[in-house]
Amino acid sequence: MRFDIFTLFPEMFAGVFDESILKRARDARLIEIFLHDIRASTTDKHHVTDDYAYAGGGMVMKPEPIFAAVESVLQSPISNPQSPIPIILLTPQGRVFDQTIARELAQHSRIALICGHYEGVDERVREHLVTDEISIGDYVLTGGEIPAMVIVDAVARLIPGVLGHPTAAANDSHASGLLEGPHYTRPADFRGWRVPEILLSGHHAQIEKWRHREALRRTFERRPDLLERVELSDEDRQFLETLKAEKQNRAT
Ligand code: ADE
């Protein structure tokens, strides 16, 4: 999968894409990341990329360098309806990124990410260039670079081969719609705190059942909102009822 990132600060990405899993994925050509400096697409002497907002309100990114940068890399992207390349603006006004959107983006062979800055980008970029707008959460960052890193990371790890184990991504928190339960490694006894016996038992079916219940428990305790969106079996519902009853007993 190919990621094209349009930014005023390409140096910010050094390190993040050059370590660990993303580095291995790049080395294996499972992902390709191209950084494009928006400033390089300016045509004026001072390479100006922003200007005062009409009628006041701070600085706004000018449309010409953004259009020029994107169009030089993705020739007429929107005019190819067969395989449109999503052109995504990172902005706190976008739809809020989650695992479902990560999965949706991972279906594409290529996506483009535009990092906004200052008070934002000229509205014509929104109206006539981008095909999607994404926020990584309800808070305001200094620019779209860190959100772009977040999206590349979350999407890249869904691409087959990027994680070592083929089912690793399927077992993540959020992949099933539930949070993951607890994990343990050696030693079995650390300062007197023992690993749950079931995990040492070798009974695979029972361990799977325990894991699923712990995932339900954790989701119930921390993110009950997620339970409304997942498919639950009758057994799951019964288990959740016992958790609810336990909680009520504790409260009284
Ligand atoms: N730019 C500034 N804040 C942002 C956010 N929360 N998500 C995406 N882009 C942003």
Side-chain angles (χ1 to χ4, degrees), residues 5-120:
I5 301 175
F6 298 87
T7 171
L8 290 173
F9 303 102
E11 292 81 21
M12 279 182 73
F13 294 84
V16 175
F17 295 151
D18 298 325
E19 298 284 348
S20 183
I21 290 172
L22 292 183
K23 175 174 171 23
R24 260 190 285 130
R26 294 176 78 187
D27 290 345
R29 304 291 301 269
L30 293 167
I31 58 168
E32 289 181 296
I33 302 171
F34 291 89
L35 295 167
H36 308 285
D37 188 348
I38 294 171
R39 199 174 299 280
S41 292
T42 52
T43 50
D44 62 306
K45 195 165 103 201
H46 298 291
H47 304 293
V48 176
T49 58
D50 59 324
D51 204 342
Y52 293 101
Y54 274 116
M59 302 305 279
V60 173
M61 284 175 78
K62 290 165 69 60
E64 306 95 312
I66 301 178
F67 271 83
V70 172
E71 285 171 349
S72 73
V73 176
L74 316 175
Q75 295 97 15
S76 322
I78 311 166
S79 66
N80 177 3
Q82 265 11 77
S83 61
I85 299 167
I87 302 175
I88 301 162
L89 177 68
L90 285 320
T91 161
Q93 301 174 11
R95 57 189 180 130
V96 180
F97 190 61
D98 63 9
Q99 195 67 23
T100 304
I101 299 179
R103 270 194 293 265
E104 172 195 318
L105 297 179
Q107 301 305 310
H108 293 272
S109 57
R110 187 170 174 187
I111 64 171
L113 299 162
I114 303 174
C115 306
H117 255 274
Y118 311 115
E119 294 305 314

Side-chain angles (χ1 to χ4, degrees), residues 157-161 163-173 175-176 180 208:
R157 61 197 301 295
L158 298 176
I159 295 166
L163 297 184
H165 194 278
T167 60
N171 294 333
D172 286 338
S173 281
S176 65
E180 274 184 286
E208 274 321 301

Side-chain angles (χ1 to χ4, degrees), residues 90-92 134-137 139-141 143-144 147:
L90 285 320
T91 161
I134 292 180
S135 162
I136 61 160
Y139 39 81
V140 180
L141 300 166

